Amino acid sequence: MNKSRLAVFAAVLAMTGCAVEEKPTVNIVSDNAISIESQSDAEAVAESSEPIISTREDIGLSVETSDLRNDTDTVFVIWSEVEQITLEEALSESDCVVRAKYESLEEFEDYVEYRLQLVDTYKGSADDELRIRWDKDFSDEFEPVFDEGEYILPLLYINSVYFEHPFYNVTGHIIIPCDTDGRIKNVSIGDITADAPSELSAAENLAALAASVKDTSEIFFKDYIHSDIPEEIAEGSEYIVKVTVNGEPSRTGSDRGIYNCDVIESYKGNVPDIIRVLLFYDSVKDGSEYYLFLSKNEKSVYYTISSKNSVYSADNVEISRVVASTDFS
């Protein structure tokens, strides 16, 4: 996973219990790798105030070919003062690549949610109405990232038990505006906009590029149990424990945090004596005892609730009955 992908996922993964260990930065930045071989080359890129989007042949840096994962000869790269990202990587790692028309936006405390109508799909599948979430930059003020018109977007699908509904993130913050005829004039990454090269002058070029790269998307968010029936939640949960909440949480979101929990008894699944669980702030109190119905992604360092109805007070008679009467062997 490249550096840009990690940057996009960091906040969402932290809030949903998936921890990603960022690997040390390396020079190879794509499959048909572009590598900065000397300090002078790196400084030249850093000192440039104008972003460049270019083909591999025009970038002016040495080229290596290692760990090839597809047959494409051209890698498109956006250079800025602080970041480099390959469009090919973004397309490869996205769950879907779509063309969509902007409809509206809704502002929330920590983020803005944009509504776009699906026009076409170049990779994967997507909802007809796309909800795209864009985090605010630690301020109540924000500049809309979408305006009237159509866009081509590489997207990551987010379906977490901690959110009210599924939504999408834009991979690498790459936004490609296009007109109704599919013509592309520029490519944006965050606040940086650069002219599109001739090889990316039309939507059909993006569609072909998306089809040519190997799909390296990963499932980060396990589907949760859509039920409020205790027996069904118990059957679908990987872990069922009785715990005491120990201390205040580590804040990871406006409405949830990571709690240290001392395990009193484990009814299903093997867990250590102390577990860390991502819980809503209003669902538990320090020092109190609870039944927790949990799951855990193999890449996560935290346990997560298995449904939207997975936290019960230890004195809940019905849950005590379900836990006592069910054979989890």
Side-chain angles (χ1 to χ4, degrees), residues 198-286:
S198 59
E199 295 91 343
L200 292 179
S201 60
E204 61 189 33
N205 302 139
L206 256 297
L209 184 60
S212 72
V213 298
K214 181 179 179 180
D215 181 17
T216 60
S217 59
E218 300 178 59
I219 298 175
F220 285 93
F221 305 97
K222 299 175 66 173
D223 196 12
Y224 57 91
I225 302 166
H226 299 264
S227 177
D228 58 2
I229 300 174
E231 288 82 359
E232 293 180 356
I233 300 171
E235 180 180 357
S237 298
E238 296 175 73
Y239 308 94
I240 301 176
V241 293
K242 185 178 182 180
V243 303
T244 301
V245 174
N246 185 0
E248 295 300 317
S250 300
R251 181 182 175 88
T252 65
S254 60
D255 60 354
R256 55 199 171 278
I258 300 165
Y259 289 81
N260 289 324
C261 298
D262 297 329
V263 177
I264 300 171
E265 189 168 356
S266 176
Y267 305 95
K268 184 179 182 181
N270 296 318
V271 299
D273 293 338
I274 300 175
I275 59 176
R276 295 198 290 172
V277 187
L278 187 63
L279 299 167
F280 290 107
Y281 296 135
D282 60 1
S283 66
V284 296
K285 294 181 179 179
D286 180 24

Coordinates of all heavy atoms in Angstrom, one line a residue, residues 198-286:
S198 N -2.2 14.7 -22.8 CA -3.0 14.3 -23.9 C -3.5 12.9 -23.8 O -4.6 12.5 -24.3 CB -2.3 14.5 -25.2 OG -1.1 13.7 -25.2
E199 N -2.7 12.0 -23.1 CA -3.1 10.6 -23.0 C -4.3 10.4 -22.1 O -5.0 9.4 -22.0 CB -2.0 9.8 -22.5 CG -0.8 9.7 -23.4 CD 0.2 10.8 -23.1 OE1 -0.1 11.8 -22.5 OE2 1.4 10.6 -23.6
L200 N -4.7 11.5 -21.3 CA -5.8 11.4 -20.4 C -6.8 12.5 -20.7 O -7.3 13.2 -19.8 CB -5.3 11.6 -18.9 CG -4.5 10.5 -18.3 CD1 -4.1 10.8 -16.9 CD2 -5.3 9.2 -18.4
S201 N -7.0 12.8 -22.0 CA -7.9 13.9 -22.4 C -9.4 13.5 -22.4 O -10.2 14.4 -22.6 CB -7.4 14.4 -23.7 OG -7.6 13.3 -24.7
A202 N -9.7 12.2 -22.2 CA -11.1 11.8 -22.3 C -11.4 10.8 -21.3 O -10.5 10.0 -20.9 CB -11.4 11.3 -23.7
A203 N -12.7 10.7 -20.9 CA -13.1 9.7 -20.0 C -12.8 8.3 -20.4 O -12.5 7.4 -19.6 CB -14.7 9.8 -19.7
E204 N -12.9 8.0 -21.7 CA -12.6 6.7 -22.2 C -11.1 6.3 -22.0 O -10.8 5.1 -21.8 CB -12.9 6.6 -23.7 CG -12.1 7.5 -24.6 CD -12.6 7.6 -26.0 OE1 -13.8 7.4 -26.2 OE2 -11.8 7.8 -26.9
N205 N -10.2 7.3 -21.9 CA -8.8 7.0 -21.5 C -8.7 6.5 -20.1 O -8.0 5.6 -19.8 CB -8.0 8.3 -21.7 CG -8.0 8.8 -23.1 OD1 -8.0 10.0 -23.3 ND2 -8.0 8.0 -24.1
L206 N -9.5 7.2 -19.2 CA -9.5 6.8 -17.8 C -10.1 5.4 -17.7 O -9.6 4.5 -16.9 CB -10.2 7.8 -17.0 CG -9.4 8.7 -16.1 CD1 -8.6 8.0 -15.0 CD2 -8.5 9.6 -16.9
A207 N -11.1 5.1 -18.4 CA -11.8 3.8 -18.4 C -10.8 2.7 -18.8 O -10.7 1.7 -18.2 CB -13.0 3.8 -19.2
A208 N -10.1 3.0 -19.9 CA -9.1 2.0 -20.3 C -8.0 1.8 -19.3 O -7.5 0.7 -19.1 CB -8.5 2.5 -21.7
L209 N -7.5 2.9 -18.7 CA -6.4 2.8 -17.7 C -6.9 2.0 -16.5 O -6.2 1.1 -16.0 CB -6.0 4.1 -17.3 CG -4.8 4.2 -16.4 CD1 -3.5 3.5 -17.0 CD2 -4.4 5.6 -16.0
A210 N -8.2 2.3 -16.1 CA -8.7 1.5 -14.9 C -8.8 0.0 -15.2 O -8.6 -0.8 -14.3 CB -10.1 2.1 -14.5
A211 N -9.2 -0.3 -16.5 CA -9.4 -1.7 -16.8 C -8.0 -2.4 -17.0 O -7.9 -3.6 -16.9 CB -10.2 -1.8 -18.1
S212 N -7.0 -1.6 -17.2 CA -5.7 -2.3 -17.5 C -4.9 -2.6 -16.3 O -4.0 -3.5 -16.3 CB -4.8 -1.3 -18.4 OG -4.4 -0.2 -17.6
V213 N -5.2 -2.0 -15.1 CA -4.4 -2.2 -13.9 C -5.0 -3.4 -13.1 O -6.2 -3.7 -13.2 CB -4.3 -1.0 -13.0 CG1 -3.7 0.2 -13.7 CG2 -5.7 -0.6 -12.5
K214 N -4.1 -4.1 -12.4 CA -4.6 -5.2 -11.6 C -5.3 -4.6 -10.4 O -4.9 -3.6 -9.8 CB -3.3 -6.0 -11.1 CG -3.7 -7.2 -10.2 CD -2.5 -8.0 -9.8 CE -2.8 -9.1 -8.9 NZ -1.6 -9.9 -8.5
D215 N -6.4 -5.3 -10.0 CA -7.2 -4.9 -8.9 C -6.5 -5.3 -7.6 O -6.3 -6.5 -7.3 CB -8.6 -5.6 -8.9 CG -9.5 -5.2 -7.7 OD1 -9.1 -4.1 -7.1 OD2 -10.4 -5.9 -7.5
T216 N -6.0 -4.3 -6.8 CA -5.4 -4.6 -5.5 C -6.2 -4.0 -4.3 O -5.6 -3.8 -3.3 CB -4.0 -4.0 -5.5 OG1 -4.0 -2.6 -5.7 CG2 -3.1 -4.6 -6.6
S217 N -7.5 -3.8 -4.5 CA -8.3 -3.3 -3.4 C -8.4 -4.4 -2.3 O -8.3 -5.6 -2.6 CB -9.7 -3.0 -4.0 OG -10.3 -4.1 -4.5
E218 N -8.6 -3.9 -1.1 CA -8.6 -4.8 0.0 C -9.9 -4.5 0.8 O -10.4 -3.4 0.8 CB -7.4 -4.5 1.0 CG -6.1 -4.8 0.3 CD -5.0 -4.5 1.2 OE1 -4.9 -5.1 2.3 OE2 -4.1 -3.6 0.9
I219 N -10.4 -5.5 1.5 CA -11.6 -5.3 2.3 C -11.1 -5.0 3.7 O -10.5 -5.8 4.4 CB -12.4 -6.6 2.4 CG1 -13.0 -7.0 1.0 CG2 -13.6 -6.5 3.4 CD1 -13.7 -8.3 0.9
F220 N -11.4 -3.7 4.1 CA -11.0 -3.3 5.5 C -12.1 -3.3 6.5 O -11.9 -3.3 7.7 CB -10.5 -1.8 5.4 CG -9.1 -1.7 4.8 CD1 -8.9 -1.5 3.4 CD2 -8.0 -1.9 5.5 CE1 -7.7 -1.4 2.9 CE2 -6.7 -1.8 5.0 CZ -6.6 -1.5 3.6
F221 N -13.3 -3.4 6.0 CA -14.5 -3.3 6.9 C -15.4 -4.5 6.8 O -16.0 -4.6 5.8 CB -15.2 -2.0 6.6 CG -14.4 -0.7 6.7 CD1 -13.9 -0.2 5.6 CD2 -14.1 -0.2 7.9 CE1 -13.0 0.9 5.6 CE2 -13.2 0.9 8.0 CZ -12.7 1.5 6.9
K222 N -15.3 -5.3 7.8 CA -16.2 -6.5 7.8 C -17.6 -6.1 7.9 O -18.0 -5.2 8.7 CB -15.8 -7.4 8.9 CG -14.4 -7.9 8.8 CD -14.0 -8.8 10.0 CE -14.8 -10.0 10.1 NZ -14.3 -10.9 11.2
D223 N -18.5 -6.8 7.2 CA -19.9 -6.5 7.3 C -20.4 -6.8 8.7 O -19.9 -7.8 9.3 CB -20.7 -7.2 6.3 CG -22.1 -6.6 6.1 OD1 -22.4 -5.5 6.6 OD2 -23.0 -7.3 5.5
Y224 N -21.3 -6.0 9.3 CA -21.7 -6.3 10.6 C -23.1 -7.0 10.6 O -23.8 -7.1 9.6 CB -21.8 -5.0 11.4 CG -22.6 -3.9 10.8 CD1 -24.0 -3.7 11.1 CD2 -22.1 -3.0 9.9 CE1 -24.7 -2.7 10.6 CE2 -22.8 -1.9 9.4 CZ -24.2 -1.8 9.7 OH -24.9 -0.8 9.2
I225 N -23.5 -7.4 11.8 CA -24.8 -8.1 12.0 C -26.0 -7.1 12.0 O -26.0 -6.2 12.8 CB -24.8 -8.9 13.3 CG1 -23.6 -9.9 13.2 CG2 -26.1 -9.7 13.4 CD1 -23.3 -10.5 14.6
H226 N -26.8 -7.2 11.0 CA -28.0 -6.3 10.9 C -29.2 -6.9 11.6 O -30.1 -7.4 11.0 CB -28.3 -6.0 9.4 CG -27.1 -5.4 8.7 ND1 -27.0 -4.0 8.5 CD2 -26.0 -5.9 8.1 CE1 -25.9 -3.8 7.8 NE2 -25.3 -4.9 7.6
S227 N -29.2 -6.9 12.9 CA -30.2 -7.5 13.7 C -30.3 -6.8 15.1 O -29.3 -6.3 15.6 CB -30.0 -9.0 13.9 OG -31.0 -9.5 14.7
D228 N -31.5 -6.8 15.7 CA -31.6 -6.4 17.1 C -32.1 -7.5 18.0 O -32.5 -7.3 19.1 CB -32.5 -5.2 17.2 CG -33.9 -5.5 16.6 OD1 -34.2 -6.6 16.2 OD2 -34.8 -4.5 16.6
I229 N -32.0 -8.7 17.4 CA -32.4 -9.9 18.2 C -31.2 -10.5 18.9 O -30.2 -10.9 18.2 CB -33.1 -11.0 17.2 CG1 -34.3 -10.4 16.6 CG2 -33.4 -12.3 18.0 CD1 -34.9 -11.3 15.5
P230 N -31.2 -10.6 20.2 CA -30.0 -11.1 20.9 C -29.4 -12.4 20.4 O -28.2 -12.6 20.3 CB -30.4 -11.1 22.4 CG -31.5 -10.1 22.4 CD -32.2 -10.2 21.1
E231 N -30.3 -13.4 20.2 CA -29.9 -14.7 19.8 C -29.2 -14.6 18.4 O -28.2 -15.4 18.2 CB -31.1 -15.6 19.7 CG -31.7 -16.1 21.0 CD -32.7 -15.0 21.6 OE1 -32.9 -14.0 20.9 OE2 -33.2 -15.3 22.6
E232 N -29.6 -13.8 17.5 CA -29.0 -13.7 16.2 C -27.6 -13.0 16.3 O -26.7 -13.3 15.7 CB -29.9 -12.9 15.2 CG -31.2 -13.7 14.9 CD -32.0 -12.9 13.9 OE1 -31.7 -11.8 13.6 OE2 -33.1 -13.5 13.4
I233 N -27.6 -12.0 17.2 CA -26.3 -11.3 17.4 C -25.3 -12.2 18.1 O -24.1 -12.2 17.7 CB -26.5 -10.0 18.3 CG1 -27.5 -9.1 17.6 CG2 -25.2 -9.3 18.6 CD1 -28.0 -7.9 18.5
A234 N -25.8 -13.0 19.0 CA -24.9 -14.0 19.7 C -24.3 -15.0 18.7 O -23.1 -15.3 18.7 CB -25.6 -14.7 20.8
E235 N -25.2 -15.5 17.8 CA -24.8 -16.5 16.8 C -23.8 -15.9 15.9 O -22.8 -16.6 15.5 CB -26.0 -17.0 16.1 CG -25.7 -18.1 15.0 CD -26.9 -18.6 14.3 OE1 -28.0 -18.1 14.6 OE2 -26.7 -19.4 13.4
G236 N -23.9 -14.7 15.4 CA -23.0 -14.1 14.4 C -21.8 -13.5 15.0 O -20.8 -13.3 14.2
S237 N -21.7 -13.3 16.3 CA -20.5 -12.6 16.9 C -19.4 -13.6 17.0 O -19.6 -14.8 17.3 CB -20.9 -12.0 18.2 OG -21.9 -11.0 18.1
E238 N -18.2 -13.1 16.8 CA -17.0 -13.9 17.0 C -16.6 -14.1 18.4 O -16.1 -15.1 18.8 CB -15.8 -13.3 16.2 CG -15.9 -13.2 14.7 CD -14.7 -12.5 14.1 OE1 -13.6 -13.1 14.1 OE2 -14.9 -11.3 13.7
Y239 N -16.9 -13.0 19.2 CA -16.5 -13.0 20.6 C -17.7 -12.5 21.5 O -18.4 -11.6 21.1 CB -15.3 -12.1 20.9 CG -14.2 -12.4 20.0 CD1 -14.0 -11.7 18.8 CD2 -13.2 -13.4 20.3 CE1 -12.9 -12.0 18.0 CE2 -12.2 -13.7 19.5 CZ -12.0 -13.0 18.3 OH -10.9 -13.2 17.5
I240 N -17.9 -13.2 22.6 CA -18.9 -12.7 23.6 C -18.2 -12.7 24.9 O -17.7 -13.7 25.4 CB -20.2 -13.5 23.6 CG1 -20.8 -13.6 22.3 CG2 -21.2 -13.0 24.7 CD1 -22.0 -14.5 22.2
V241 N -18.2 -11.5 25.6 CA -17.5 -11.4 26.9 C -18.3 -10.6 27.8 O -19.1 -9.8 27.5 CB -16.1 -10.7 26.6 CG1 -15.2 -11.6 25.8 CG2 -16.2 -9.4 26.0
K242 N -17.9 -10.8 29.1 CA -18.4 -9.9 30.2 C -17.2 -9.1 30.7 O -16.2 -9.8 31.0 CB -19.1 -10.7 31.3 CG -19.7 -9.9 32.4 CD -20.4 -10.8 33.4 CE -21.1 -10.0 34.5 NZ -21.7 -10.9 35.5
V243 N -17.3 -7.8 30.8 CA -16.1 -7.0 31.1 C -16.5 -5.9 32.1 O -17.6 -5.6 32.3 CB -15.6 -6.3 29.8 CG1 -15.2 -7.4 28.7 CG2 -16.5 -5.3 29.2
T244 N -15.4 -5.4 32.7 CA -15.5 -4.1 33.4 C -14.7 -3.1 32.6 O -13.5 -3.3 32.3 CB -14.8 -4.3 34.8 OG1 -15.5 -5.3 35.5 CG2 -14.9 -3.0 35.6
V245 N -15.4 -1.9 32.4 CA -14.7 -0.8 31.7 C -13.7 -0.2 32.7 O -14.1 0.2 33.8 CB -15.7 0.2 31.2 CG1 -15.0 1.4 30.6 CG2 -16.6 -0.5 30.1
N246 N -12.5 -0.1 32.2 CA -11.4 0.4 33.1 C -10.8 1.7 32.6 O -9.9 1.6 31.7 CB -10.3 -0.7 33.3 CG -9.3 -0.3 34.3 OD1 -9.3 0.7 34.9 ND2 -8.3 -1.2 34.5
G247 N -11.2 2.8 33.1 CA -10.6 4.1 32.7 C -11.3 4.8 31.6 O -12.3 4.3 31.0
E248 N -10.9 6.0 31.3 CA -11.4 6.8 30.3 C -10.9 6.4 28.9 O -9.8 5.9 28.8 CB -11.1 8.3 30.5 CG -11.8 8.9 31.7 CD -13.3 8.8 31.7 OE1 -13.8 9.1 30.6 OE2 -13.9 8.4 32.7
P249 N -11.6 6.6 27.8 CA -11.2 6.2 26.5 C -10.1 7.0 25.9 O -10.0 8.2 26.2 CB -12.5 6.2 25.7 CG -13.2 7.4 26.3 CD -12.9 7.3 27.8
S250 N -9.4 6.4 24.9 CA -8.6 7.2 24.0 C -9.5 7.7 22.9 O -10.2 6.9 22.2 CB -7.5 6.3 23.4 OG -6.7 5.8 24.4
R251 N -9.5 9.0 22.7 CA -10.5 9.6 21.7 C -10.0 9.3 20.3 O -8.9 9.5 19.9 CB -10.5 11.1 21.9 CG -11.5 11.8 21.0 CD -11.4 13.3 21.2 NE -12.2 14.0 20.3 CZ -13.5 14.3 20.4 NH1 -14.2 13.9 21.5 NH2 -14.2 14.9 19.5
T252 N -10.9 8.7 19.5 CA -10.7 8.5 18.1 C -11.7 9.1 17.2 O -11.5 9.1 15.9 CB -10.6 7.0 17.7 OG1 -11.9 6.4 18.0 CG2 -9.6 6.2 18.6
G253 N -12.8 9.6 17.7 CA -13.8 10.3 16.9 C -14.7 11.1 17.8 O -14.6 11.1 19.0
S254 N -15.6 11.9 17.2 CA -16.4 12.8 17.9 C -17.4 12.0 18.8 O -17.9 12.6 19.8 CB -17.2 13.7 17.0 OG -18.0 13.0 16.1
D255 N -17.7 10.8 18.5 CA -18.7 10.1 19.3 C -18.3 8.7 19.8 O -19.0 7.9 20.3 CB -20.0 9.9 18.4 CG -19.8 9.1 17.1 OD1 -18.6 8.8 16.8 OD2 -20.7 8.8 16.4
R256 N -17.0 8.3 19.6 CA -16.5 7.0 20.0 C -15.0 7.1 20.4 O -14.3 8.0 19.9 CB -16.8 6.0 18.9 CG -16.1 6.4 17.6 CD -16.8 5.6 16.4 NE -16.3 6.1 15.1 CZ -16.9 7.1 14.5 NH1 -17.8 7.8 15.1 NH2 -16.4 7.5 13.3
G257 N -14.6 6.1 21.2 CA -13.2 6.0 21.6 C -12.9 4.6 21.9 O -13.7 3.7 21.9
I258 N -11.6 4.4 22.2 CA -11.1 3.0 22.5 C -11.0 2.9 24.0 O -10.3 3.6 24.7 CB -9.7 2.8 21.9 CG1 -9.8 3.0 20.3 CG2 -9.1 1.5 22.2 CD1 -8.5 3.2 19.6
Y259 N -11.7 1.9 24.5 CA -11.7 1.6 26.0 C -10.9 0.4 26.4 O -11.0 -0.6 25.6 CB -13.2 1.4 26.4 CG -14.0 2.6 26.4 CD1 -14.6 3.1 25.2 CD2 -14.3 3.3 27.6 CE1 -15.4 4.2 25.2 CE2 -15.2 4.4 27.5 CZ -15.7 4.9 26.3 OH -16.5 6.0 26.3
N260 N -10.2 0.5 27.5 CA -9.6 -0.7 28.1 C -10.6 -1.4 28.9 O -11.3 -0.8 29.7 CB -8.4 -0.3 28.9 CG -7.2 0.2 28.1 OD1 -6.9 -0.3 27.1 ND2 -6.5 1.1 28.7
C261 N -10.8 -2.7 28.7 CA -11.8 -3.5 29.4 C -11.1 -4.7 30.0 O -10.4 -5.5 29.3 CB -12.9 -4.0 28.4 SG -13.8 -2.6 27.6
D262 N -11.4 -4.9 31.3 CA -10.9 -6.1 32.0 C -12.0 -7.2 31.8 O -13.2 -7.1 32.1 CB -10.8 -5.8 33.5 CG -9.7 -4.8 33.8 OD1 -8.8 -4.7 33.0 OD2 -9.9 -4.0 34.7
V263 N -11.5 -8.4 31.3 CA -12.4 -9.5 31.0 C -12.8 -10.2 32.2 O -11.9 -10.8 32.9 CB -11.8 -10.4 29.9 CG1 -12.8 -11.6 29.7 CG2 -11.6 -9.6 28.6
I264 N -14.0 -10.3 32.6 CA -14.5 -11.0 33.7 C -14.8 -12.5 33.3 O -14.4 -13.4 34.0 CB -15.8 -10.4 34.3 CG1 -15.6 -9.0 34.7 CG2 -16.4 -11.3 35.5 CD1 -16.9 -8.3 35.1
E265 N -15.4 -12.7 32.2 CA -15.7 -14.0 31.7 C -15.8 -14.0 30.2 O -16.3 -13.0 29.6 CB -17.0 -14.6 32.3 CG -17.2 -16.0 32.0 CD -18.3 -16.6 32.8 OE1 -18.8 -15.9 33.7 OE2 -18.6 -17.8 32.6
S266 N -15.3 -15.0 29.5 CA -15.4 -15.1 28.0 C -16.3 -16.3 27.7 O -16.1 -17.4 28.2 CB -14.0 -15.3 27.4 OG -14.1 -15.5 26.0
Y267 N -17.3 -16.0 26.9 CA -18.3 -17.1 26.6 C -18.1 -17.6 25.2 O -18.5 -18.8 24.9 CB -19.7 -16.5 26.7 CG -20.1 -15.9 28.0 CD1 -19.9 -14.5 28.2 CD2 -20.5 -16.6 29.1 CE1 -20.2 -13.9 29.5 CE2 -20.8 -16.1 30.3 CZ -20.6 -14.7 30.5 OH -20.9 -14.2 31.7
K268 N -17.5 -16.8 24.3 CA -17.3 -17.3 23.0 C -16.0 -16.6 22.4 O -15.9 -15.4 22.5 CB -18.5 -16.9 22.1 CG -18.5 -17.4 20.6 CD -19.7 -17.0 19.9 CE -19.7 -17.5 18.4 NZ -20.9 -17.1 17.7
G269 N -15.2 -17.5 21.9 CA -13.9 -17.0 21.3 C -12.9 -16.8 22.4 O -13.2 -16.6 23.6
N270 N -11.6 -16.8 22.1 CA -10.5 -16.7 23.0 C -10.0 -15.3 23.0 O -9.6 -14.7 21.9 CB -9.4 -17.6 22.6 CG -9.8 -19.1 22.7 OD1 -10.4 -19.5 23.7 ND2 -9.4 -19.9 21.8
V271 N -10.0 -14.6 24.1 CA -9.5 -13.3 24.3 C -8.6 -13.1 25.4 O -8.6 -14.0 26.4 CB -10.7 -12.3 24.5 CG1 -11.7 -12.3 23.3 CG2 -11.4 -12.6 25.8
P272 N -7.7 -12.2 25.4 CA -6.8 -12.0 26.6 C -7.5 -11.4 27.8 O -8.7 -11.1 27.7 CB -5.7 -11.0 26.0 CG -6.4 -10.3 24.9 CD -7.4 -11.3 24.3
D273 N -6.8 -11.3 28.9 CA -7.5 -10.8 30.1 C -7.9 -9.3 30.0 O -8.8 -8.9 30.7 CB -6.5 -11.0 31.3 CG -6.3 -12.4 31.6 OD1 -7.1 -13.3 31.3 OD2 -5.3 -12.7 32.3
I274 N -7.2 -8.6 29.2 CA -7.5 -7.2 29.0 C -7.6 -6.9 27.5 O -6.7 -7.3 26.7 CB -6.4 -6.2 29.6 CG1 -6.3 -6.4 31.1 CG2 -6.8 -4.8 29.3 CD1 -5.1 -5.6 31.7
I275 N -8.7 -6.4 27.1 CA -8.9 -6.1 25.7 C -9.2 -4.6 25.5 O -9.7 -3.9 26.4 CB -10.1 -6.9 25.1 CG1 -11.4 -6.7 25.8 CG2 -9.7 -8.4 25.1 CD1 -12.6 -7.4 25.2
R276 N -8.9 -4.1 24.3 CA -9.3 -2.7 23.9 C -10.4 -2.8 22.9 O -10.3 -3.5 21.9 CB -8.0 -2.0 23.3 CG -7.0 -1.8 24.4 CD -6.0 -0.8 24.0 NE -5.1 -1.2 22.9 CZ -4.3 -0.4 22.2 NH1 -4.3 0.9 22.6 NH2 -3.6 -0.8 21.2
V277 N -11.4 -2.0 23.2 CA -12.7 -2.1 22.4 C -13.1 -0.7 21.9 O -13.1 0.2 22.8 CB -13.8 -2.8 23.2 CG1 -15.0 -3.0 22.2 CG2 -13.4 -4.1 23.8
L278 N -13.4 -0.6 20.7 CA -13.9 0.7 20.2 C -15.4 0.8 20.4 O -16.2 0.0 19.9 CB -13.7 0.8 18.7 CG -14.0 2.1 18.0 CD1 -13.1 3.2 18.6 CD2 -13.8 2.0 16.5
L279 N -15.8 1.7 21.3 CA -17.2 1.9 21.7 C -17.7 3.3 21.7 O -16.9 4.2 21.7 CB -17.3 1.4 23.2 CG -17.0 -0.1 23.5 CD1 -16.8 -0.3 25.0 CD2 -18.0 -1.0 22.9
F280 N -19.0 3.5 21.5 CA -19.5 4.8 21.6 C -19.5 5.4 23.0 O -19.6 4.6 24.0 CB -21.0 4.8 21.1 CG -21.2 4.5 19.6 CD1 -21.6 3.3 19.2 CD2 -20.8 5.5 18.7 CE1 -21.8 3.1 17.8 CE2 -21.0 5.3 17.3 CZ -21.5 4.1 16.9
Y281 N -19.2 6.7 23.1 CA -19.0 7.3 24.4 C -20.2 7.1 25.3 O -20.1 6.9 26.5 CB -18.7 8.8 24.3 CG -17.4 9.1 23.6 CD1 -17.3 10.1 22.6 CD2 -16.2 8.4 23.9 CE1 -16.2 10.4 21.9 CE2 -15.0 8.7 23.2 CZ -15.0 9.7 22.2 OH -13.8 10.0 21.6
D282 N -21.4 7.2 24.7 CA -22.6 7.1 25.5 C -23.1 5.7 25.8 O -24.2 5.5 26.4 CB -23.7 8.0 24.9 CG -24.1 7.4 23.5 OD1 -23.5 6.4 23.0 OD2 -25.0 8.1 22.9
S283 N -22.3 4.7 25.4 CA -22.8 3.3 25.6 C -22.3 2.7 26.8 O -22.8 1.7 27.3 CB -22.4 2.5 24.4 OG -21.0 2.3 24.3
V284 N -21.2 3.2 27.4 CA -20.6 2.6 28.6 C -20.1 3.7 29.6 O -20.0 4.8 29.2 CB -19.4 1.7 28.3 CG1 -19.8 0.5 27.4 CG2 -18.3 2.5 27.6
K285 N -19.9 3.2 30.9 CA -19.3 4.1 31.9 C -18.2 3.4 32.6 O -18.2 2.2 32.8 CB -20.4 4.5 32.9 CG -21.6 5.3 32.4 CD -22.6 5.7 33.5 CE -23.7 6.5 33.0 NZ -24.7 6.8 34.0
D286 N -17.2 4.2 33.0 CA -16.0 3.7 33.6 C -16.4 3.0 34.9 O -17.2 3.5 35.7 CB -15.1 4.9 34.0 CG -13.8 4.4 34.7 OD1 -13.4 3.3 34.5 OD2 -13.2 5.3 35.4

